[in-house]
Amino acid sequence: MLNVGMVGVGCISGIYLENFAKTFKNVKLVAVCDLIRERAENAQKKYDIPKLYDTMHELFADPEIDIVLNLTRPYQHFEVSKAALLAGKHVYSEKPLGADFEEGTALVKLAKERGLWIGGAPDTFMGAGIQTCRKFIDEGRLGDVIGGRCVMANRGMESWHPDPDFYYQRGGGPLLDMGPYYITALVNLLGGVKSVYGTSRTTFKERLITAKPHENEIIHVTVPTHYESLLTFESGVTISLLTSFDLYSLKQPPIFLYGTKGNLYVPDPNLFDGHKGLTFLNGETKEEETLELAFDYSENSRCLGLADLAAAIEQGRPPRTSYLQTYHVLEIMTGIMKSAETGMPYTITTRFEREAPMDPSLPHGVL
């Protein structure tokens, strides 16, 4: 069992705390830290966490901690992960790996130099829905994949999120915030990407917060909030990807793949389950078939990737959520951003090989 220290106890921390307590027994949360001490105190009390630290550096100095769980805001990921690696800790970070490709490059270089792993979200691709789709594709039931379309569109977070400002600052925006779910799912289904092309715009320069506790405050937007992009995979498959905080919800499947034997409706990659939208349109019979889930983790299993990182460290294998994946995904996203700025396609320099699929024979909570 490996010990974990959590830095950042904001909105996303709740499901991690639940799954530490109930599901994954190969990792133990032994310490928490947050700039707002009350958040850390509440988590410590509710989940009986042994230690609470005032600063992340105090937490990093704890010799009992093996892995740092970085749940800070996106623009803080780099400094927190860097400091943890320098302290000799493995890291699991919420997405994205960094706010730009240069940050990701520096973190990967440091992890390699120190002989450490830095892994990261999302881990939803390890859930029942995407894993079942991977099995379906790998078995050739879709035929040769020709292309596809991905859509993530809404009107932003300010109507419901208690602290939405960071979504519209450096490290935020729909591509860096939601893109990791879609792109991570795609590379696990189809393999690595070799080039991208993108366009972008910022439709609304200011956003009115309507959710408490910042109701009626104005957000000054500093990043693009609408991206249209085209991804060309090493296999030759092309996928169009729309990510936007400017549109009303669209009645389109999150991920729709076209194959020579039919079309596959892939479920929402922000979720683990496949109960909604996991459908194959059989090109021969012209009938839709609902696919049966072939894997575990159909509920909200955030922390699954961290548990796999810990198991991989102990077993001496690459983690499924390692920087080998998050770095490739980060370059795809920042490549789209650079393409949108220059008007030219961007050639991806990193290479990605898929790790082994999940093993459905293992007991729940065991990696």
Side-chain angles (χ1 to χ4, degrees):
M1 177 185 295
L2 297 186
N3 293 328
V4 178
M6 177 188 288
V7 178
V9 193
C11 289
I12 194 64
S13 68
I15 189 60
Y16 279 92
L17 291 164
E18 285 291 313
N19 286 327
F20 269 118
K22 298 178 180 178
T23 305
F24 301 108
K25 304 307 180 184
N26 69 322
V27 284
K28 181 180 180 182
L29 184 61
V30 299
V32 289
C33 173
D34 194 280
L35 290 173
I36 302 174
R37 183 181 174 87
E38 182 181 4
R39 291 178 178 175
E41 290 174 344
N42 290 339
Q44 182 186 36
K45 182 178 180 180
K46 182 175 180 180
Y47 294 96
D48 194 26
I49 301 167
K51 304 175 185 180
L52 184 153
Y53 288 105
D54 289 323
T55 71
M56 67 178 188
H57 296 288
E58 292 173 354
L59 184 147
F60 298 158
D62 186 338
E64 292 187 5
I65 293 174
D66 303 299
I67 304 173
V68 170
L69 173 56
N70 182 358
L71 301 185
T72 59
R73 292 182 171 191
Y75 60 81
Q76 297 169 322
H77 287 176
F78 174 72
E79 292 298 339
V80 175
S81 294
K82 178 183 176 181
L85 290 169
L86 287 171
K89 309 299 185 184
H90 300 286
V91 176
Y92 185 90
S93 173
E94 257 301 324
K95 46 76 184 171
L97 174 64
D100 56 43
F101 188 56
E102 290 70 27
E103 288 187 351
T105 300
L107 290 175
V108 169
K109 181 174 183 291
L110 181 58
K112 288 180 177 179
E113 289 174 350
R114 297 295 175 112
L116 297 166
W117 281 111
I118 176 169
D123 52 6
T124 45
F125 75 94
M126 298 169 65
I130 301 300
Q131 288 292 308
T132 298
C133 289
R134 173 172 173 172
K135 182 174 185 290
F136 187 87
I137 294 170
D138 289 353
E139 289 176 346
R141 295 170 65 188
L142 188 59
D144 294 330
V145 182
I146 301 167
R149 172 73 168 162
C150 302
V151 174
M152 192 300 299
N154 59 53
R155 282 301 295 266
M157 315 302 188
E158 59 271 22
S159 65
W160 62 271
H161 198 283
D163 194 16
D165 182 78
F166 73 91
Y167 285 105
Y168 301 100
Q169 311 306 327
R170 180 176 179 270
L175 186 57
L176 285 180
D177 179 61
M178 293 300 295
Y181 296 107
Y182 288 75
I183 296 170
T184 300
L186 288 171
V187 298
N188 274 275
L189 295 175
L190 304 173
V193 172
K194 66 178 181 180
S195 66
V196 296
Y197 178 78
T199 62
S200 68
R201 62 175 290 169
T202 306
T203 306
F204 307 104
K205 305 297 184 182
E206 295 183 343
R207 300 264 182 163
L208 175 66
I209 302 175
T210 56
K212 297 182 184 303
H214 298 285
E215 187 176 12
N216 294 323
E217 293 182 16
I218 297 294
I219 298 173
H220 298 283
V221 180
T222 64
V223 295
T225 50
H226 180 88
Y227 281 93
E228 292 269 14
S229 52
L230 183 68
L231 285 59
T232 301
F233 288 73
E234 295 284 356
S235 63
V237 173
T238 55
I239 304 287
S240 62
L241 171 65
L242 165 67
T243 54
S244 181
F245 286 160
D246 296 344
L247 306 181
Y248 294 105
S249 295
L250 304 176
K251 290 185 178 181
Q252 297 183 34
I255 301 177
F256 187 37
L257 299 179
Y258 326 127
T260 55
K261 294 183 179 180
N263 299 328
L264 182 63
Y265 296 82
V266 179
D268 189 340
N270 189 22
L271 305 175
F272 286 82
D273 67 37
H275 298 296
K276 295 181 180 180
L278 184 48
T279 306
F280 172 58
L281 175 61
N282 191 312
E284 186 174 318
T285 66
K286 305 299 188 292
E287 294 181 354
E288 288 193 352
E289 306 169 8
T290 300
L291 303 187
E292 295 294 327
L293 297 180
F295 292 85
D296 195 2
Y297 305 106
S298 60
E299 70 289 340
N300 192 339
S301 300
R302 280 178 171 83
C303 198
L304 176 58
L306 173 58
D308 183 73
L309 172 66
I313 291 169
E314 294 186 307
Q315 296 164 9
R317 62 170 172 85
R320 290 180 175 88
T321 55
S322 80
Y323 60 74
L324 299 172
Q325 175 171 280
T326 57
Y327 188 42
H328 186 62
V329 171
L330 180 63
E331 186 179 20
I332 293 168
M333 295 187 297
T334 55
I336 292 169
M337 296 165 68
K338 290 176 181 177
S339 174
E341 292 172 359
T342 64
M344 300 293 293
Y346 176 93
T347 300
I348 302 296
T349 62
T350 57
R351 292 294 175 263
F352 174 73
E353 297 290 338
R354 301 184 300 171
E355 297 297 338
M358 297 290 283
D359 184 350
S361 70
L362 292 175
H364 189 66
V366 176
L367 279 301

